[in-house]
Structure formats: C-alpha cells, structure tokens
Amino acid sequence: MAAPATQHTQTLKESHWTVTGHGRITAMCEEAVAATPAVRSLCHYSNGILDFAVLRLDRAPLSSLVTEAGDEARNEALPGSRLLLSAQDLGGVLRPLGTGELMRTVVVNQRGGLWGGRARPGEFLAATADGPDGVPAMDTAMNRLVARVRTEVHSLPDELLGGDTGAAPHPDGPRPQAVADGSPRIDFGTAAAADTAYEQRMRDLWREHVNTTDLHYAAYYQDWTLVCVGDVFEAHSLGPRFLGVSVRTRRTAYRDLSRSLRGHLVRLTDAIGPVGPPVVGRAPLDRIVLDVQEGAVYVLWTSPRSFMLGVTLDQRQVGHADRRLAELARAVPEVMPQPSR
C-alpha cells in the first residue's frame, strides 16, 4: 500500500462556512497554497468578514505582539483584514482618476510580502509570504487563483491581474517612435539640484524608460518633495484614455497621491507588520503595487528618504511597467549629484 501523501496545509473555517457557498472556492485556495510554497497563508473574506483561512503547516510564527493564543485563523487573517481596509481607502483615492476599481494590492518589505485582491465586489482574498523572495511566486499564484474564481465560479471575465504575460514589452534600446508619438514631458521640482549637467542626465534617463507602451509616468521624490517627473500623457496613441479625465487633472491627481501617501504608508506598514516587521534604518516598505482595471500605480523606495511613483494606463502592460520602473529606480541614484564634503 502506498504511503499517505504528506499534508502540507490546514484549513480553518468560520462557523458560517458552508459547502454550497464556499466549498468550491475553498478547494481552489487549498490547491493554490499546496502548489505554492511561497504562500504561508491565504484568507477569504465576504463583505469584510473572514470565511476561512488556508495555512501552511511549516510557516514561521507571526510577530508575538499581535497574536492571540489559540486563534490561529484570526491571527493569520489580521494582515489581510488590515489590507482590505487600506485597499478600500486607496480604491476611493484612485477612483476619480477614471481607471476603474482597485483589483490587486501588493505590499513588500525586507521581511515579508502581502497580497490582496477582489474576485468581485464584496469578495476579497489575501495571502502572505514570509520573505520578499517569495513574493513573485505568491503574486503569480494569487493572480491565477482570482482569475479561476472569477471565470470558473462566478462566470465573470478574467481582468488580467498583474497584466498579460503574453503582451510584448516595449523594445529595449533607442525608441524613435516615442519622439514622433509622445516624447516624455519632463519637469523638475524644488528638490532638484540646480545643475544643468545633472538635469540633462535625468532627462536622458526618463527618455530611456518612460514610453508610450508600458511605463507612461514616473516621478522621483526625496524627503517627500518632487525631484523629477515625466510622462507621455500627451501622446496621440494615449488620447482615448483621457476622454473622461484630462491630462492636467491626471497629472495633478498623481502628485496629490504622492502627498497623501504618508497616511496610507502607516496603515500598509501596520498590515504587513505581523508578517514582516520593519527593519530599523530602512524604509518601512520596499514596494507597493496598486493594480486597477486600466493599468496600475507603483511606489518603489530607493532609500529610506526617497521613492519613485510610476504609472501605466494599459492593463496588459502592468507587469512590464513594474519592471521598467524598477530599472529606472536602480539607475537614478547613479546620476544624482554627490554631496559635497
């Protein structure tokens, strides 16, 4: 007789859980966690209420400051519950931009990762990873899981969380088409150095990375003050995306978002804290992804005192724009003026 299969997960169900209402979705969640070692836990919520939690048996303990003895489901659901509330607030902030509802939120720091997404209005899933290295696998698994729940359970279309993996990224190297169809408009803020050579280096970087295919907007901040911002919003090919919201309004909205980020940062740090307590001397978060129905907004910290804010308006290009912004973020410190001794 073959040996029984090793059990890697356990599922904790709330009292209102039913086979008819939750059984099929629970099975999908159990399958996703079992197939993805990077996921330490996965929780399902209906109208803000926890339905069930799928837990990996070999997971590391949560921060003892927030756990309650004997209530594993509630303990593991705490990060997701906090993220759900933050996502509701952020969704309200992003809604006036006319790019649709917030579908997916990814929060990463030096010690862990947190994923949250809605399968449909009122239905929210959240997952955690014990380290940043596991976030890509968790992100991929959760995007696929939500697509399955939408298409197989609710008979709804796939909303391409995380973008279309089959979509072609913008080609590397020189991009002459961007000159004819939206060379980036670049501006400098009050935190920029008064140095012509430095400004030219920044302009060259933005022209190399901001384009009409994937990364449509990028801004760099130091000490919460704008250094440099550039976008291709005035490109002819992007014109249809501004039928409801003007270019000027959207530029203003993204600057306003950067100003309001401090409050959201506190709540998101609280959400990921039980899984990944912040490291002293580092920014509390490394990265935030806010994936809406038409594109995404990204926040990426380059140091404890500086960050990039990026935008794509094309849902197919969400993954490619994420990587494009990371390339720009790595390059920016290399062209910044060196402090005088």
Side-chain angles (χ1 to χ4, degrees), residues 281-300:
R282 294 280 300 270
L285 297 179
D286 285 352
R287 178 170 162 260
I288 302 171
V289 179
L290 305 174
D291 190 348
V292 292
Q293 289 173 298
E294 297 180 24
V297 177
Y298 317 92
V299 186
L300 186 61

PDB file of all heavy atoms in Angstrom, residues 281-300:
ATOM      1  N   GLY A 281      16.210  51.580  10.315  1.00  0.00           N
ATOM      2  CA  GLY A 281      17.145  52.217   9.391  1.00  0.00           C
ATOM      3  C   GLY A 281      16.778  52.048   7.935  1.00  0.00           C
ATOM      4  O   GLY A 281      17.457  52.600   7.063  1.00  0.00           O
ATOM      5  N   ARG A 282      15.716  51.300   7.648  1.00  0.00           N
ATOM      6  CA  ARG A 282      15.242  51.120   6.270  1.00  0.00           C
ATOM      7  C   ARG A 282      13.861  51.757   6.131  1.00  0.00           C
ATOM      8  O   ARG A 282      13.162  52.006   7.106  1.00  0.00           O
ATOM      9  CB  ARG A 282      15.135  49.619   5.941  1.00  0.00           C
ATOM     10  CG  ARG A 282      16.469  48.882   5.922  1.00  0.00           C
ATOM     11  CD  ARG A 282      17.212  49.119   4.615  1.00  0.00           C
ATOM     12  NE  ARG A 282      16.460  48.653   3.474  1.00  0.00           N
ATOM     13  CZ  ARG A 282      16.555  47.405   2.967  1.00  0.00           C
ATOM     14  NH1 ARG A 282      17.352  46.522   3.533  1.00  0.00           N
ATOM     15  NH2 ARG A 282      15.845  47.066   1.891  1.00  0.00           N
ATOM     16  N   ALA A 283      13.461  52.026   4.902  1.00  0.00           N
ATOM     17  CA  ALA A 283      12.093  52.470   4.661  1.00  0.00           C
ATOM     18  C   ALA A 283      11.146  51.371   5.140  1.00  0.00           C
ATOM     19  O   ALA A 283      11.460  50.180   5.019  1.00  0.00           O
ATOM     20  CB  ALA A 283      11.879  52.746   3.181  1.00  0.00           C
ATOM     21  N   PRO A 284       9.991  51.709   5.710  1.00  0.00           N
ATOM     22  CA  PRO A 284       9.089  50.682   6.233  1.00  0.00           C
ATOM     23  C   PRO A 284       8.598  49.711   5.164  1.00  0.00           C
ATOM     24  O   PRO A 284       8.285  48.566   5.458  1.00  0.00           O
ATOM     25  CB  PRO A 284       7.927  51.481   6.838  1.00  0.00           C
ATOM     26  CG  PRO A 284       8.019  52.836   6.199  1.00  0.00           C
ATOM     27  CD  PRO A 284       9.466  53.064   5.930  1.00  0.00           C
ATOM     28  N   LEU A 285       8.521  50.186   3.911  1.00  0.00           N
ATOM     29  CA  LEU A 285       8.139  49.325   2.797  1.00  0.00           C
ATOM     30  C   LEU A 285       9.159  49.473   1.684  1.00  0.00           C
ATOM     31  O   LEU A 285       9.804  50.516   1.550  1.00  0.00           O
ATOM     32  CB  LEU A 285       6.748  49.685   2.271  1.00  0.00           C
ATOM     33  CG  LEU A 285       5.570  49.517   3.230  1.00  0.00           C
ATOM     34  CD1 LEU A 285       4.279  49.941   2.544  1.00  0.00           C
ATOM     35  CD2 LEU A 285       5.461  48.099   3.752  1.00  0.00           C
ATOM     36  N   ASP A 286       9.297  48.435   0.883  1.00  0.00           N
ATOM     37  CA  ASP A 286      10.142  48.496  -0.312  1.00  0.00           C
ATOM     38  C   ASP A 286       9.320  48.821  -1.555  1.00  0.00           C
ATOM     39  O   ASP A 286       9.801  49.486  -2.473  1.00  0.00           O
ATOM     40  CB  ASP A 286      10.862  47.164  -0.536  1.00  0.00           C
ATOM     41  CG  ASP A 286      12.021  46.951   0.420  1.00  0.00           C
ATOM     42  OD1 ASP A 286      12.368  47.903   1.154  1.00  0.00           O
ATOM     43  OD2 ASP A 286      12.561  45.835   0.454  1.00  0.00           O
ATOM     44  N   ARG A 287       8.064  48.357  -1.561  1.00  0.00           N
ATOM     45  CA  ARG A 287       7.306  48.425  -2.805  1.00  0.00           C
ATOM     46  C   ARG A 287       5.813  48.293  -2.546  1.00  0.00           C
ATOM     47  O   ARG A 287       5.388  47.560  -1.664  1.00  0.00           O
ATOM     48  CB  ARG A 287       7.793  47.280  -3.704  1.00  0.00           C
ATOM     49  CG  ARG A 287       7.131  47.091  -5.027  1.00  0.00           C
ATOM     50  CD  ARG A 287       7.930  46.081  -5.854  1.00  0.00           C
ATOM     51  NE  ARG A 287       7.160  45.537  -6.949  1.00  0.00           N
ATOM     52  CZ  ARG A 287       6.552  44.359  -6.938  1.00  0.00           C
ATOM     53  NH1 ARG A 287       6.659  43.580  -5.878  1.00  0.00           N
ATOM     54  NH2 ARG A 287       5.859  43.940  -7.977  1.00  0.00           N
ATOM     55  N   ILE A 288       5.027  49.052  -3.337  1.00  0.00           N
ATOM     56  CA  ILE A 288       3.569  48.938  -3.327  1.00  0.00           C
ATOM     57  C   ILE A 288       3.112  48.873  -4.774  1.00  0.00           C
ATOM     58  O   ILE A 288       3.590  49.631  -5.623  1.00  0.00           O
ATOM     59  CB  ILE A 288       2.896  50.150  -2.649  1.00  0.00           C
ATOM     60  CG1 ILE A 288       3.385  50.338  -1.214  1.00  0.00           C
ATOM     61  CG2 ILE A 288       1.376  49.999  -2.669  1.00  0.00           C
ATOM     62  CD1 ILE A 288       2.918  51.636  -0.592  1.00  0.00           C
ATOM     63  N   VAL A 289       2.181  47.975  -5.069  1.00  0.00           N
ATOM     64  CA  VAL A 289       1.549  47.915  -6.389  1.00  0.00           C
ATOM     65  C   VAL A 289       0.044  48.075  -6.201  1.00  0.00           C
ATOM     66  O   VAL A 289      -0.555  47.353  -5.396  1.00  0.00           O
ATOM     67  CB  VAL A 289       1.838  46.584  -7.114  1.00  0.00           C
ATOM     68  CG1 VAL A 289       1.134  46.570  -8.474  1.00  0.00           C
ATOM     69  CG2 VAL A 289       3.332  46.364  -7.285  1.00  0.00           C
ATOM     70  N   LEU A 290      -0.542  49.026  -6.918  1.00  0.00           N
ATOM     71  CA  LEU A 290      -1.983  49.243  -6.896  1.00  0.00           C
ATOM     72  C   LEU A 290      -2.493  48.998  -8.312  1.00  0.00           C
ATOM     73  O   LEU A 290      -2.381  49.850  -9.187  1.00  0.00           O
ATOM     74  CB  LEU A 290      -2.306  50.677  -6.440  1.00  0.00           C
ATOM     75  CG  LEU A 290      -1.700  51.088  -5.088  1.00  0.00           C
ATOM     76  CD1 LEU A 290      -1.960  52.565  -4.818  1.00  0.00           C
ATOM     77  CD2 LEU A 290      -2.263  50.233  -3.959  1.00  0.00           C
ATOM     78  N   ASP A 291      -3.019  47.805  -8.525  1.00  0.00           N
ATOM     79  CA  ASP A 291      -3.421  47.335  -9.850  1.00  0.00           C
ATOM     80  C   ASP A 291      -4.908  47.633 -10.042  1.00  0.00           C
ATOM     81  O   ASP A 291      -5.764  47.029  -9.385  1.00  0.00           O
ATOM     82  CB  ASP A 291      -3.150  45.829  -9.922  1.00  0.00           C
ATOM     83  CG  ASP A 291      -3.291  45.255 -11.320  1.00  0.00           C
ATOM     84  OD1 ASP A 291      -3.817  45.949 -12.203  1.00  0.00           O
ATOM     85  OD2 ASP A 291      -2.889  44.093 -11.515  1.00  0.00           O
ATOM     86  N   VAL A 292      -5.220  48.580 -10.935  1.00  0.00           N
ATOM     87  CA  VAL A 292      -6.602  48.946 -11.210  1.00  0.00           C
ATOM     88  C   VAL A 292      -7.043  48.296 -12.521  1.00  0.00           C
ATOM     89  O   VAL A 292      -6.270  47.591 -13.169  1.00  0.00           O
ATOM     90  CB  VAL A 292      -6.769  50.481 -11.274  1.00  0.00           C
ATOM     91  CG1 VAL A 292      -6.560  51.085  -9.904  1.00  0.00           C
ATOM     92  CG2 VAL A 292      -5.812  51.110 -12.274  1.00  0.00           C
ATOM     93  N   GLN A 293      -8.289  48.540 -12.925  1.00  0.00           N
ATOM     94  CA  GLN A 293      -8.805  47.855 -14.118  1.00  0.00           C
ATOM     95  C   GLN A 293      -8.141  48.331 -15.407  1.00  0.00           C
ATOM     96  O   GLN A 293      -8.115  47.605 -16.397  1.00  0.00           O
ATOM     97  CB  GLN A 293     -10.320  48.036 -14.196  1.00  0.00           C
ATOM     98  CG  GLN A 293     -11.061  47.236 -13.139  1.00  0.00           C
ATOM     99  CD  GLN A 293     -12.544  47.549 -13.113  1.00  0.00           C
ATOM    100  OE1 GLN A 293     -12.952  48.672 -12.845  1.00  0.00           O
ATOM    101  NE2 GLN A 293     -13.358  46.550 -13.417  1.00  0.00           N
ATOM    102  N   GLU A 294      -7.618  49.546 -15.392  1.00  0.00           N
ATOM    103  CA  GLU A 294      -6.916  50.080 -16.567  1.00  0.00           C
ATOM    104  C   GLU A 294      -5.522  50.521 -16.155  1.00  0.00           C
ATOM    105  O   GLU A 294      -5.229  51.707 -16.054  1.00  0.00           O
ATOM    106  CB  GLU A 294      -7.695  51.245 -17.190  1.00  0.00           C
ATOM    107  CG  GLU A 294      -9.061  50.853 -17.735  1.00  0.00           C
ATOM    108  CD  GLU A 294      -9.814  52.032 -18.336  1.00  0.00           C
ATOM    109  OE1 GLU A 294      -9.165  53.011 -18.755  1.00  0.00           O
ATOM    110  OE2 GLU A 294     -11.052  51.976 -18.365  1.00  0.00           O
ATOM    111  N   GLY A 295      -4.664  49.545 -15.880  1.00  0.00           N
ATOM    112  CA  GLY A 295      -3.282  49.865 -15.561  1.00  0.00           C
ATOM    113  C   GLY A 295      -2.949  49.674 -14.093  1.00  0.00           C
ATOM    114  O   GLY A 295      -3.569  48.876 -13.389  1.00  0.00           O
ATOM    115  N   ALA A 296      -1.963  50.431 -13.619  1.00  0.00           N
ATOM    116  CA  ALA A 296      -1.514  50.282 -12.237  1.00  0.00           C
ATOM    117  C   ALA A 296      -0.712  51.505 -11.816  1.00  0.00           C
ATOM    118  O   ALA A 296      -0.179  52.251 -12.647  1.00  0.00           O
ATOM    119  CB  ALA A 296      -0.661  49.024 -12.080  1.00  0.00           C
ATOM    120  N   VAL A 297      -0.633  51.675 -10.491  1.00  0.00           N
ATOM    121  CA  VAL A 297       0.228  52.684  -9.874  1.00  0.00           C
ATOM    122  C   VAL A 297       1.246  51.929  -9.032  1.00  0.00           C
ATOM    123  O   VAL A 297       0.888  50.982  -8.312  1.00  0.00           O
ATOM    124  CB  VAL A 297      -0.572  53.655  -8.990  1.00  0.00           C
ATOM    125  CG1 VAL A 297       0.360  54.649  -8.305  1.00  0.00           C
ATOM    126  CG2 VAL A 297      -1.623  54.392  -9.816  1.00  0.00           C
ATOM    127  N   TYR A 298       2.504  52.320  -9.111  1.00  0.00           N
ATOM    128  CA  TYR A 298       3.580  51.663  -8.376  1.00  0.00           C
ATOM    129  C   TYR A 298       4.295  52.683  -7.496  1.00  0.00           C
ATOM    130  O   TYR A 298       4.505  53.825  -7.910  1.00  0.00           O
ATOM    131  CB  TYR A 298       4.620  51.055  -9.322  1.00  0.00           C
ATOM    132  CG  TYR A 298       4.043  50.343 -10.511  1.00  0.00           C
ATOM    133  CD1 TYR A 298       3.825  51.011 -11.714  1.00  0.00           C
ATOM    134  CD2 TYR A 298       3.716  48.991 -10.441  1.00  0.00           C
ATOM    135  CE1 TYR A 298       3.290  50.358 -12.815  1.00  0.00           C
ATOM    136  CE2 TYR A 298       3.189  48.323 -11.542  1.00  0.00           C
ATOM    137  CZ  TYR A 298       2.974  49.018 -12.725  1.00  0.00           C
ATOM    138  OH  TYR A 298       2.447  48.375 -13.820  1.00  0.00           O
ATOM    139  N   VAL A 299       4.684  52.258  -6.306  1.00  0.00           N
ATOM    140  CA  VAL A 299       5.546  53.074  -5.441  1.00  0.00           C
ATOM    141  C   VAL A 299       6.730  52.199  -5.064  1.00  0.00           C
ATOM    142  O   VAL A 299       6.554  51.082  -4.569  1.00  0.00           O
ATOM    143  CB  VAL A 299       4.813  53.556  -4.181  1.00  0.00           C
ATOM    144  CG1 VAL A 299       5.712  54.509  -3.393  1.00  0.00           C
ATOM    145  CG2 VAL A 299       3.500  54.255  -4.540  1.00  0.00           C
ATOM    146  N   LEU A 300       7.928  52.715  -5.304  1.00  0.00           N
ATOM    147  CA  LEU A 300       9.146  51.927  -5.109  1.00  0.00           C
ATOM    148  C   LEU A 300      10.164  52.781  -4.367  1.00  0.00           C
ATOM    149  O   LEU A 300      10.563  53.839  -4.851  1.00  0.00           O
ATOM    150  CB  LEU A 300       9.695  51.504  -6.482  1.00  0.00           C
ATOM    151  CG  LEU A 300      10.882  50.556  -6.533  1.00  0.00           C
ATOM    152  CD1 LEU A 300      10.528  49.230  -5.870  1.00  0.00           C
ATOM    153  CD2 LEU A 300      11.301  50.323  -7.979  1.00  0.00           C
TER     154      LEU A 300
END
